[in-house]
Amino acid sequence: ILESRTVKNDSVIRGTKLQNPENIINTVLKIKNELVEKYSPITAIGVTGQMHGILYLDKNGDAVSPLYTWQDESGNKPYKDCTYASYLTEVTGYTMASGFGLVTHFVNKEENNVPENAVILCTIHDYLVMKLTGRNTPLMHSSDAASIGCFDLTKADFDKDALLKIGIDRSFLPEVCNDCTISGKDSDGVPVSVAIGDNQASVIGSVSDENSILVNIGTGSQVSVITDAPKILSDGETRPLNNNKFILVGAPLCGGRSFALLHKFFTECAEIFGGNKDDVYKNMDKIAELNPDTHTLTVDTRFCGTRKNPDIKGAVTGITESNFNPAELTRGFLYGMANELYSLFEGFGINGSMLVCSGNAVRKSSVLRYYLEELFGMRLHVPAHTEEASFGAAVFASVAAGIYNTTFEAAKQMIHYQ
């Protein structure tokens, strides 16, 4: 890695789960132009972004709506004696959760919120590739297409019959590709690969052995394993990866935000009782490290429910007079986060030969790493590089540009562990 830049995303529309797409595009284009000028010649540009979310485009390929993110909760609203999401699941036969792009679109369609001049929808990173290359129609990788719903994994395309049942025309959705593909060239003639979903990008950018178990904990969290064929999971999903490979994924809705929730609680306590609220995270790590083997509080970290059951609530149980203290609560949260991921992995019914963990939460918390090793029963490996999803997008682009034949071949050359 020659350089990595992280900038604040100030695109959130206040008081909503929506974001301003043009702010995002302008921010990324500024960084891209600076890096291309600094490191030219560039062989290829890779792009990734948060999955599930959508925005609407007009016939010229310009955004005519805000970005509806994966956090959109409109699918949980009542509809026909159930909810929008559960209705769509029943009618289409596909698992459709609130936040999935086609659930959001169906709600907008039913409530007359689709812009009149909208002719197609896509993800924010599809839109970025369009603005980089001058395309006026989006090209969507299967990793993102599957994330918005009604995607047939065996055909690697949207299910037209399922779409017909819910009144969505296939022509309103982008063309789909399944391989490492160059989508076009930017104004400087640099090839730009099709954008890929952040979960798949993190897998590609983290594992050098396709038999690995990947745990990623940042704002969200996932546990992923690579497989040769789709599998029906009771609490998880199969997602396309690339080159006829798939990943089994378990994705808690809270993830790393569980620890942020505890941080918020401790910060409010400090404000109320006149304590120091400047080093709360640092002190949480310190008290957790004092005795990591002691975690007698049981913390269920499903504070946002699950995709399958949004009504499930988190819980803290096993409280006694001796263990109800900040250290035990902190360790309980960390163990709960790790255990939720391990429970999802157990549901895959397969084994892995190597445990790879990525994301800021894993890097910063030695106790979280300790619990993951304890639960999975194997030594944990952390990639030497950070920003695994961006790294994966670069690996993907190297294959699209013809430098390597497959992402696994590229990963074996490019990925190293601490």
Side-chain angles (χ1 to χ4, degrees):
I1 295 179
L2 298 177
E3 185 172 345
S4 175
R5 294 193 192 178
T6 301
V7 298
K8 184 178 180 180
N9 176 14
D10 60 355
S11 303
V12 176
I13 299 172
R14 189 182 297 274
T16 72
K17 300 291 177 65
L18 307 174
Q19 296 185 23
N20 184 320
E22 300 306 334
N23 282 4
I24 296 172
I25 300 302
N26 291 336
T27 299
V28 177
L29 290 181
K30 181 176 183 295
I31 298 171
K32 171 261 175 184
N33 290 334
E34 291 171 355
L35 293 177
V36 168
E37 182 177 355
K38 186 174 182 179
Y39 295 107
S40 185
I42 306 296
T43 302
I45 295 172
V47 177
T48 186
Q50 286 185 342
M51 301 188 300
H52 304 301
I54 58 166
L55 68 158
Y56 296 103
L57 311 180
D58 64 16
K59 64 181 181 180
N60 298 317
D62 294 321
V64 290
S65 76
L67 166 63
Y68 296 85
T69 70
W70 63 275
Q71 294 176 306
D72 181 82
E73 297 176 350
S74 63
N76 292 331
K77 293 193 294 186
Y79 184 75
K80 292 185 182 293
D81 298 324
C82 52
T83 66
Y84 279 106
S86 57
Y87 169 79
L88 292 173
T89 298
E90 182 179 349
V91 171
T92 66
Y94 291 87
T95 299
M96 302 285 279
S98 190
F100 283 20
L102 289 187
V103 176
T104 302
H105 173 55
F106 183 81
V107 175
N108 287 341
K109 186 168 68 73
E110 291 296 291
E111 299 183 356
N112 296 316
N113 289 327
V114 177
E116 288 186 7
N117 52 345
V119 298
I120 201 165
L121 59 78
C122 67
T123 71
I124 183 62
H125 31 302
D126 293 329
Y127 186 53
L128 171 61
V129 170
M130 292 173 64
K131 293 306 173 185
L132 282 169
T133 61
R135 294 179 63 107
N136 58 15
T137 57
L139 175 64
M140 182 178 282
H141 188 258
S142 57
S143 58
D144 281 307
S147 81
I148 67 173
C150 292
F151 188 81
D152 188 329
L153 292 170
T154 58
K155 295 180 180 178
D157 200 358
F158 293 106
D159 188 327
K160 293 181 182 178
D161 292 335
L163 293 175
L164 188 63
K165 291 176 182 177
I166 55 177
I168 295 177
D169 194 316
R170 172 64 183 87
S171 65
F172 203 80
L173 308 180
E175 175 189 354
V176 176
C177 69
N178 197 39
D179 297 318
C180 298
T181 303
I182 295 298
S183 187
K185 294 183 177 181
D186 74 354
S187 57
D188 298 310
V190 179
V192 181
S193 72
V194 63
I196 55 173
D198 55 347
N199 178 213
Q200 286 86 341
S202 291
V203 172
I204 292 170
S206 300
V207 301
S208 58
D209 182 339
E210 60 183 280
N211 294 315
S212 298
I213 305 163
L214 175 63
V215 169
N216 179 279
I217 308 177
T219 304
S221 67
Q222 301 95 21
V223 57
S224 310
V225 296
I226 299 169
T227 181
D228 291 325
K231 186 174 183 178
I232 297 175
L233 301 172
S234 61
D235 197 2
E237 58 183 299
T238 301
R239 296 175 179 175
L241 180 61
N242 202 49
N243 289 338
N244 298 317
K245 293 284 185 178
F246 302 86
I247 48 177
L248 305 181
V249 182
L253 290 183
C254 261
R257 287 188 295 136
S258 298
F259 206 55
L261 182 66
L262 184 61
H263 172 271
K264 180 174 179 286
F265 172 74
F266 284 146
T267 300
E268 289 179 358
C269 289
E271 289 174 346
I272 293 170
F273 300 114
N276 179 10
K277 62 179 187 294
D278 296 329
D279 297 314
V280 174
Y281 271 128
K282 181 179 178 181
N283 289 326
M284 289 166 69
D285 288 333
K286 186 183 296 184
I287 60 176
E289 291 167 359
L290 292 175
N291 193 357
D293 287 319
T294 303
H295 49 86
T296 59
L297 286 177
T298 301
V299 180
D300 183 340
T301 54
R302 294 177 296 177
F303 302 112
C304 301
T306 67
R307 293 199 183 279
K308 201 172 181 182
N309 187 352
D311 295 324
I312 289 177
K313 307 298 181 186
V316 180
T317 57
I319 299 174
T320 67
E321 289 182 303
S322 61
N323 70 5
F324 190 55
N325 59 66
E328 284 282 10
L329 192 59
T330 302
R331 287 191 287 268
F333 264 71
L334 291 170
Y335 190 86
M337 290 161 57
N339 191 53
E340 186 176 2
L341 289 162
Y342 179 68
S343 297
L344 290 167
F345 167 72
E346 283 189 306
F348 296 166
I350 60 176
N351 296 316
S353 60
M354 182 177 181
L355 176 63
V356 178
C357 296
S358 63
N360 288 333
V362 171
R363 294 178 184 278
K364 292 178 179 179
S365 175
S366 62
V367 177
L368 182 57
R369 295 195 297 273
Y370 179 79
Y371 291 153
L372 288 166
E373 288 189 333
E374 177 184 308
L375 285 160
F376 283 88
M378 58 182 74
R379 181 169 167 260
L380 178 152
H381 297 77
V382 177
H385 57 272
T386 58
E387 302 297 344
E388 293 85 359
S390 292
F391 192 94
V395 173
F396 184 92
S398 75
V399 178
I403 300 173
Y404 296 100
N405 293 317
T406 68
T407 55
F408 298 116
E409 178 189 326
K412 289 183 186 300
Q413 298 296 320
M414 299 168 72
I415 295 176
H416 306 280
Y417 298 101
Q418 293 179 0

